[in-house]
Amino acid sequence: MRIHLSDGQVLEVTRRHIVAAVAVVLLVLLAYTVFTSVFQVDPREEGVVLTLGTHTRTVGPGLYVKWPYPISRVYIVPTQVVDEEKFGYRTDEQGRRMMETYESERHMLTGDLNIVLAGWDVQFTRHEPEKYLFNVEDPEETLRDIAQSVMRETLGDMASIRSLTVGRAEIIEQARRRIQQQVDRFDMGIRISEVNLTFVDPPPPVQSAFDDLNKAVQDADRFFQEASRQYEERVPQARGAAQRRQRVAEGHRDRRVERAEGQAARFNAMLEQYRQAPEVTRERLFLETMEQTLGGVDRVILIDPDLDSILPHWGLDGERP
């Protein structure tokens, strides 16, 4: 086959040349097909496969085959990676804060119409890659807008002193919950894992007054801790003393009750004997009483009421006086 060129030259093309050209084209098509049909998903990622512009499947980590491009496309989404968006500041490679160009993000208006300087970060994961890719055009920028709006709303509902001192935990929890609610509202496929309030500072003109206030708050907290420690020490001691006195009183009560019950039982038994033999019982009681009364006396003197004087006599113990 001869091909006449425009400059008058003749190019002779043989069957061998045609076969070689077709083979090259086929090899290129085969390489392109293999290159665009095989894809790999790393362990911390998921792959979203589109066929003719329609979502057909979502695959986890591994090696997969799809239709070649442009029939089929795959988008790799790092679903197991925790990303972070910073507000009011940025950090360099050494971890140092850079805040010079982020004044607009840092200035916040509180509920009592005061200004505070706040810096925070939002940590999130992409747990639903299809929604993350297709429901919102720019998920990260949308998340930044939501986070700034929520933080301004949260600080706008709180007094400046509270936000600067004891309200940090409340701010963090409310901001995380509200950001997640807005993200779910737009169905962005993002899960907010944590919100960190890096700093909340007063403006420089009132920094010294805030330092005095902060010192007073720390003193009050220290006094409370000391009072709590003394409470923990003294209350158990007082309770132990009260329990000890209660046990002593209960023992004394039990002894008195037992003694009274014994005396009552003895009296009832004696009364029964008296009813059966009054004279004998009366005599026995008299003798027992006299024995108890005179049992410890060393010398006994008997006096006859008819005598004018006391006469010596033999003692009851057998000895001569």
Side-chain angles (χ1 to χ4, degrees):
M1 178 184 294
R2 293 183 179 181
I3 300 176
H4 296 274
L5 301 179
S6 59
D7 56 358
Q9 296 181 359
V10 179
L11 179 63
E12 185 175 356
V13 180
T14 63
R15 177 184 294 272
R16 182 181 300 176
H17 292 152
I18 297 174
V19 171
V22 172
V24 170
V25 172
L26 292 177
L27 286 176
V28 171
L29 291 176
L30 179 62
Y32 176 80
T33 301
V34 173
F35 181 76
T36 59
S37 299
V38 178
F39 66 96
Q40 182 177 359
V41 180
D42 292 338
R44 304 179 67 182
E45 300 173 341
E46 291 186 22
V48 179
V49 181
L50 301 182
T51 303
L52 298 177
T54 302
H55 172 235
T56 55
R57 56 178 172 152
T58 300
V59 297
L63 186 65
Y64 300 93
V65 177
K66 64 177 183 62
W67 290 101
Y69 182 83
I71 299 177
S72 181
R73 300 181 63 178
V74 59
Y75 295 91
I76 303 299
V77 179
T79 55
Q80 302 300 321
V81 177
V82 178
D83 278 343
E84 183 180 63
E85 292 288 341
K86 295 182 175 62
F87 302 87
Y89 74 103
R90 303 293 186 273
T91 55
D92 57 12
E93 297 179 354
Q94 288 75 28
R96 293 174 299 186
R97 294 180 187 173
M98 300 180 296
M99 299 186 294
E100 290 77 8
T101 58
Y102 308 103
E103 293 289 336
S104 60
E105 294 181 355
R106 196 162 60 250
H107 282 76
M108 298 286 173
L109 182 65
T110 61
D112 52 1
L113 302 182
N114 289 318
I115 298 294
V116 295
L117 307 179
W120 74 98
D121 61 73
V122 177
Q123 298 180 8
F124 66 95
T125 57
R126 307 164 181 86
H127 72 292
E128 294 183 274
E130 309 89 1
K131 296 179 179 180
Y132 173 80
L133 289 173
F134 307 125
N135 287 2
V136 178
E137 181 176 359
D138 192 344
E140 280 81 3
E141 190 63 30
T142 304
L143 177 61
R144 291 191 62 85
D145 294 339
I146 292 174
Q148 291 190 70
S149 175
V150 167
M151 186 59 71
R152 294 184 185 279
E153 178 185 3
T154 303
L155 288 174
D157 294 338
M158 185 174 296
S160 58
I161 298 301
R162 182 174 178 81
S163 63
L164 290 169
T165 54
V166 298
R168 297 172 66 92
E170 182 180 354
I171 294 172
I172 291 173
E173 178 57 28
Q174 288 189 11
R176 189 200 64 78
R177 177 172 51 82
R178 291 176 176 178
I179 293 173
Q180 186 65 65
Q181 289 175 351
Q182 293 298 322
V183 168
D184 294 341
R185 178 185 175 187
F186 290 110
D187 204 14
M188 296 170 58
I190 290 177
R191 177 180 291 114
I192 306 301
S193 57
E194 191 172 354
V195 174
N196 297 310
L197 194 60
T198 308
F199 61 87
V200 180
D201 298 328
V206 296
Q207 182 67 47
S208 59
F210 173 73
D211 292 339
D212 295 338
L213 174 63
N214 193 27
K215 183 177 182 301
V217 172
Q218 293 177 358
D219 292 340
D221 184 68
R222 186 177 69 257
F223 294 152
F224 176 78
Q225 296 295 334
E226 293 177 357
S228 300
R229 184 172 60 255
Q230 293 182 5
Y231 173 84
E232 296 295 335
E233 292 175 355
R234 295 183 179 181
V235 169
Q237 295 177 357
R239 289 176 179 172
Q243 293 177 359
R244 185 167 57 254
R245 292 185 179 181
Q246 182 179 1
R247 287 194 296 269
V248 171
E250 290 175 351
H252 182 67
R253 178 200 62 190
D254 295 339
R255 289 193 300 271
R256 293 294 297 270
V257 170
E258 292 175 358
R259 185 181 304 170
E261 291 176 350
Q263 291 177 353
R266 180 172 176 272
F267 178 80
N268 291 332
M270 194 178 299
L271 177 61
E272 184 65 26
Q273 294 177 4
Y274 181 80
R275 289 174 178 174
Q276 296 177 2
E279 296 296 334
V280 175
T281 303
R282 186 183 301 113
E283 185 71 19
R284 183 172 59 81
L285 291 175
F286 175 76
L287 294 176
E288 289 178 355
T289 302
M290 295 303 296
E291 181 180 2
Q292 293 177 1
T293 303
L294 302 177
V297 178
D298 296 335
R299 185 179 302 276
V300 178
I301 300 175
L302 299 178
I303 301 175
D304 189 350
D306 297 333
L307 297 178
D308 296 332
S309 61
I310 299 176
L311 298 177
H313 63 279
W314 293 94
L316 296 180
D317 55 358
E319 295 181 356
R320 186 183 298 274

